[in-house]
Amino acid sequence: MGKGGESVMAASAGQKDISEMNKDTAKYTWAEVKKHITPDDAWIVYNNKVYDVSQWYEHPGGAVIFTHAGDDMTDIFAAFHAAGSHNMMKKFYIGDLIPESVAHKDQRQLDFEKGYRDLRSKLVMMGMFKSSKLFYVYKFFSNMSMWATSIAMVYYSDNFFMHMASAFLMGLFFQQCGWLAHDFLHHQVFKQRKYGDLAGIYWGNLMQGYSVQWWKNKHNGHHAVPNLHNTTNETQDGDPDIDTMPLLAWSMHQAKQFMNGEKPSGTLKFLMKNQAWTYFPILLLARLSWLNESFKTAFGLGAASENAKLEMEAKGLQYPILEKLGIILHYAWMFTLSSGFGRFSVMYSIGYFLMATCSCGFLLAIVFGLGHNGMATYSAETRPDFWKLQVTTTRNITGGHGFPQFFVDWFCGGLQYQVDHHLFPMLPRHNLRKTHALVESFCREWGVKYHEADLYDGTIEVLQHLDKVGHEFVTEFVTDGPTM
């Protein structure tokens, strides 16, 4: 239990037991809740009840809980938790929110929130959250056939072009494993979360070399606060997926926050001016970064963020032996393959490894980059409600420009319905098409716009956005002539 929760409960209860305290429940205004926004002093709201979760790094989902410190977590809680999970929160309860103090919500907004909560209940009743085990058996064998084919192309051939094709196919295999690990670790497949975690270790650690715990911390944080910038350097209410400075800036706010009042260096000026051109090279190298962060996480050599560091210090790895074993075995089989089963030279082996690794980084990042990059960004303290946050920061991907819809559906692994996935992350990907029709209807009814683009147009939008931010940076900060 958070130390803040203990102190507040003790003070308000006057050493009374819980039953006595409930007779005289403390009342808090929204303004008071908003004062408690750091992990060391974190209050959250769920269904108009206030909870003090200060320093609760033992939270089963990790430090992601602090992304909503000083905010209402009602809908993101429902999106990520099974029914009845809120019972774990009872020991953190300190009082009730005064609904009338939430001045930024009028009656239409309250009706809108009730509407999308009713839609979620409707999807549950329709069985949309039930997975098809046959679908995932098919995905298992189709993925593993790609893996076996890539290995056979090296084992049975001495042709350079066959080997490079094998490496590219392995990169595509890694990408498709990413979508499967994503499904299992979002608990779309099994009700028992341990089974999903174990499947995640298979598809993540063993097949890709990624740490499940690294991924969970990063990805769950992203889902909770997509495209949000941290309120301050001390808070943890920002999206780790857009924490890309100094390489890429998704808004002027992000660039200024990174500089922290200092003048930009020559290197930063160059990077900002040319970020639309460096975007694709960065994507090619993305998997190398993810492998590095995963290895450090699994073997206790560091953390990718302050949030991840604090989580690791408090609770460590959930599956310490399996995480390490999975990554060791991944590098064992990948080394064997990259070396051509001992036939390749060192430089040839490195070339194979880089071809597989860089193609995977590009193929993965091009999809989830289209999902959010170039869409709206917000400061955490001015975030909209759950539904509007997820919808306005997210882009769906459609067929077009020569890419048929069935290819997009396979290639994107469910994230072509990124809007719908962000609204209902525990809903299996094979039910997203039906769900999309209901989401589309709901948005139309309430006048909420969401964005769709095909692979080509979406990529152009991302590059144009980067160029726009870069131009704004140059205009504002480069005042002493061409220094780049």
Side-chain angles (χ1 to χ4, degrees):
M1 180 173 185
K3 65 177 184 180
E6 291 173 344
S7 61
V8 172
M9 288 180 72
S12 62
Q15 306 301 320
K16 299 176 184 178
D17 62 26
I18 297 297
S19 62
E20 290 180 287
M21 187 180 72
N22 286 342
K23 295 176 183 178
D24 188 21
T25 303
K27 304 291 184 182
Y28 298 102
T29 65
W30 183 249
E32 175 63 26
V33 171
K34 295 297 289 182
K35 296 177 182 178
H36 305 271
I37 61 174
T38 66
D40 288 337
D41 182 19
W43 289 13
I44 53 178
V45 175
Y46 176 77
N47 282 339
N48 289 332
K49 295 187 180 296
V50 182
Y51 301 86
D52 184 342
V53 295
S54 303
Q55 297 187 335
W56 189 31
Y57 292 102
E58 294 77 15
H59 170 238
V64 64
I65 193 167
F66 301 123
T67 60
H68 277 64
D71 207 77
D72 192 323
M73 68 158 191
T74 302
D75 295 298
I76 193 64
F77 186 93
F80 271 96
H81 295 81
S85 297
H86 66 277
N87 289 326
M88 284 190 66
M89 300 296 297
K90 289 181 179 179
K91 60 183 178 180
F92 301 105
Y93 172 73
I94 59 172
D96 290 347
L97 177 70
I98 302 172
E100 295 76 17
S101 69
V102 188
H104 61 282
K105 292 186 180 183
D106 58 18
Q107 189 57 49
R108 176 172 173 78
Q109 176 63 29
L110 295 174
D111 291 343
F112 174 64
E113 292 179 6
K114 181 181 183 302
Y116 63 67
R117 290 165 189 170
D118 289 346
L119 175 58
R120 177 181 176 80
S121 297
K122 180 178 180 180
L123 291 171
V124 172
M125 294 297 293
M126 291 173 63
M128 289 294 100
F129 287 87
K130 295 180 180 178
S131 66
S132 167
K133 302 304 184 290
L134 284 177
F135 173 82
Y136 287 101
V137 169
Y138 152 70
K139 291 304 297 182
F140 174 88
F141 284 107
S142 64
N143 272 23
M144 292 308 295
S145 68
M146 293 171 64
W147 181 74
T149 301
S150 176
I151 290 176
M153 292 166 74
V154 169
Y155 188 82
Y156 292 107
S157 175
D158 290 320
N159 182 277
F160 169 80
F161 295 104
M162 183 69 76
H163 295 162
M164 290 301 101
S166 164
F168 180 80
L169 180 60
M170 185 58 67
L172 187 59
F173 165 75
F174 288 149
Q175 187 234 32
Q176 290 295 308
C177 286
W179 308 147
L180 262 183
H182 175 267
D183 290 357
F184 283 106
L185 293 174
H186 267 303
H187 307 295
Q188 297 175 6
V189 185
F190 299 116
K191 290 183 178 180
Q192 289 288 335
R193 296 200 167 204
K194 185 175 182 179
Y195 299 155
D197 289 342
L198 294 176
I201 288 173
Y202 177 85
W203 291 113
N205 296 61
L206 177 61
M207 290 292 109
Q208 295 180 86
Y210 296 155
S211 161
V212 160
Q213 188 140 331
W214 162 80
W215 185 90
K216 279 186 176 183
N217 176 273
K218 186 174 186 291
H219 193 70
N220 289 346
H222 157 70
H223 260 272
V225 286
N227 282 15
L228 290 198
H229 301 306
N230 281 319
T231 304
T232 69
N233 292 331
E234 288 72 40
T235 59
Q236 295 178 12
D237 49 5
D239 180 359
D241 277 9
I242 61 169
D243 184 15
T244 51
M245 286 294 289
L247 298 178
L248 299 169
W250 299 105
S251 70
M252 279 299 294
H253 175 90
Q254 182 181 19
K256 291 178 179 178
Q257 191 175 54
F258 174 80
M259 291 188 296
N260 198 26
E262 299 181 1
K263 291 184 178 180
S265 66
T267 301
L268 184 59
K269 293 175 184 178
F270 175 83
L271 290 171
M272 292 300 96
K273 180 182 179 181
N274 297 286
Q275 62 177 3
W277 296 99
T278 59
Y279 178 66
F280 282 118
I282 289 171
L283 297 191
L284 288 171
L285 300 175
R287 175 168 159 80
L288 289 172
S289 173
W290 301 329
L291 288 173
N292 175 55
E293 297 299 343
S294 290
F295 191 88
K296 289 195 300 183
T297 299
F299 290 91
L301 302 176
S305 65
E306 184 64 21
N307 182 283
K309 176 185 175 183
L310 293 171
E311 178 181 302
M312 286 294 293
E313 289 175 349
K315 60 187 293 187
L317 289 171
Q318 186 176 4
Y319 303 100
I321 296 176
L322 290 178
E323 286 251 30
K324 292 180 178 67
L325 182 61
I327 288 180
I328 289 171
L329 291 176
H330 168 79
Y331 283 110
W333 73 254
M334 190 60 190
F335 174 81
T336 302
L337 176 62
S338 297
S339 69
F341 297 89
R343 305 194 320 269
F344 297 164
S345 69
V346 172
M347 293 306 297
Y348 199 99
S349 298
I350 292 173
Y352 183 96
F353 176 81
L354 289 177
M355 179 65 177
T357 296
C358 292
S359 60
C360 167
F362 180 83
L363 295 172
L364 269 175
I366 196 69
V367 174
F368 60 67
L370 283 179
H372 300 281
N373 294 345
M375 297 299 290
T377 60
Y378 300 95
S379 299
E381 67 269 25
T382 59
R383 72 183 87 180
D385 68 79
F386 169 78
W387 185 283
K388 290 173 186 172
L389 173 64
Q390 305 296 337
V391 170
T392 60
T393 60
T394 307
R395 178 193 290 109
N396 275 358
I397 308 173
T398 64
H401 278 95
F403 296 102
Q405 189 62 49
F406 73 85
F407 170 79
V408 172
D409 291 346
W410 173 80
F411 181 73
C412 296
L415 298 189
Q416 70 276 20
Y417 294 113
Q418 186 76 273
V419 173
D420 315 88
H421 167 64
H422 260 255
L423 293 169
F424 309 106
M426 292 175 64
L427 194 145
R429 75 164 96 161
H430 53 77
N431 288 332
L432 284 171
R433 184 188 297 274
K434 294 178 182 178
T435 300
H436 176 67
L438 295 173
V439 170
E440 187 178 34
S441 175
F442 180 83
C443 286
R444 188 165 50 247
E445 176 186 352
W446 286 92
V448 177
K449 295 182 180 179
Y450 65 91
H451 186 51
E452 295 183 329
D454 62 37
L455 286 165
Y456 176 81
D457 287 338
T459 300
I460 295 300
E461 290 173 7
V462 173
L463 295 175
Q464 288 176 340
H465 179 82
L466 285 169
D467 188 61
K468 175 176 176 290
V469 175
H471 180 73
E472 290 174 357
F473 185 92
V474 170
T475 301
E476 181 163 347
F477 290 105
V478 181
T479 58
D480 52 353
T483 61
M484 293 161 274

